[in-house]
Amino acid sequence: MKVLSYPHPVLKYKCKPIQKIDQGLRDIIAEMFQTMYDTQGVGLAANQVGLPYRLFVMNPSGDPEKKEEEYVFINPIILQKSGKSKENEGCLSFPDIHAEVIRPEFIDVESIALNGDLQHFQWAGYPARIVQHETDHLDGIGFIDRLSQTALLEIKEELEELKTVFASNQRRGFIPSETEIIQELKELERLRC
Ligand code: ZN
């Protein structure tokens, strides 16, 4: 698994709900946790590693030893949001870019657990921010889409640089064309959505 960077089209893709929880999915989740730890992340959404599924993993401590802080969200829905907070945010798909994002402080979220049960959490602060950031990914929304015009201007050059790298990799055939990428996502969807 490799974390894909902006402006890869999969980051704009609206992920589809998962219909089948099986060993294949458990393997995907284990690999997502490993990839998240390897890249020093605290959350990772399936489309960041090229999978079109409504699924993300989180460990707010970022510490692989702290298994009790690992959470899996399958088909998450944020039922309620309240309050407001402003914090510096980064994203594994936007390497070395950070910006302040305003988000609700408290959330109520419902999702499916690995055993198929419906799970319900109330989060505040940092975990609430991670859950919102990752759920946004599943809707094809990046944290840069949540920035003020001023904040966006401040990171404009870094974004342009990522676009240049992406275009160059695509030209050299390291990344498939957008049509091929979408076709592959549709095939993956057929397997478990
Ligand atoms: Zn992210």
Side-chain angles (χ1 to χ4, degrees), residues 48 91-92 133-134 137:
Q48 288 183 279
C91 177
L92 297 175
H133 177 115
E134 302 307 331
H137 270 305

Side-chain angles (χ1 to χ4, degrees), residues 6 17 21 31 35 37 88 91 95 98-99 109 126 169-170 177 181:
Y6 172 87
I21 298 174
E31 209 178 328
T35 307
Y37 294 131
N88 211 35
C91 177
H98 296 271
V109 61
Y126 191 48
N169 281 334
Q170 205 163 36
S177 72
I181 291 169

Side-chain angles (χ1 to χ4, degrees), residues 3 11 43-45 48 89-94 103 130 133-134 137 141-143:
V3 179
L11 298 170
L44 183 68
Q48 288 183 279
E89 247 178 68
C91 177
L92 297 175
S93 295
F94 294 80
R103 294 187 189 271
I130 302 170
H133 177 115
E134 302 307 331
H137 270 305
I141 299 167
F143 83 113

Side-chain angles (χ1 to χ4, degrees), residues 140-159:
I141 299 167
F143 83 113
I144 60 160
D145 300 316
R146 299 278 185 203
L147 300 182
S148 67
Q149 283 304 314
T150 325
L152 198 55
L153 269 176
E154 280 173 26
I155 58 164
K156 196 171 182 283
E157 270 177 43
E158 285 103 317
L159 292 177

Side-chain angles (χ1 to χ4, degrees), residues 1-4 28-46 48-49 55-73 91-93 126 130-131 133-134 137:
M1 259 178 203
K2 190 172 165 284
V3 179
L4 302 167
I28 287 174
I29 289 165
E31 209 178 328
M32 282 174 67
F33 271 116
Q34 194 52 55
T35 307
M36 182 186 84
Y37 294 131
D38 290 347
T39 49
Q40 274 87 51
V42 290
L44 183 68
Q48 288 183 279
V49 290
L55 158 74
F56 72 86
V57 297
M58 160 175 109
N59 182 335
S61 75
D63 182 351
E65 301 297 316
K66 294 190 175 157
K67 297 283 175 219
E68 73 280 5
E69 292 199 46
E70 287 187 347
Y71 295 91
V72 176
F73 293 81
C91 177
L92 297 175
S93 295
Y126 191 48
I130 302 170
V131 169
H133 177 115
E134 302 307 331
H137 270 305

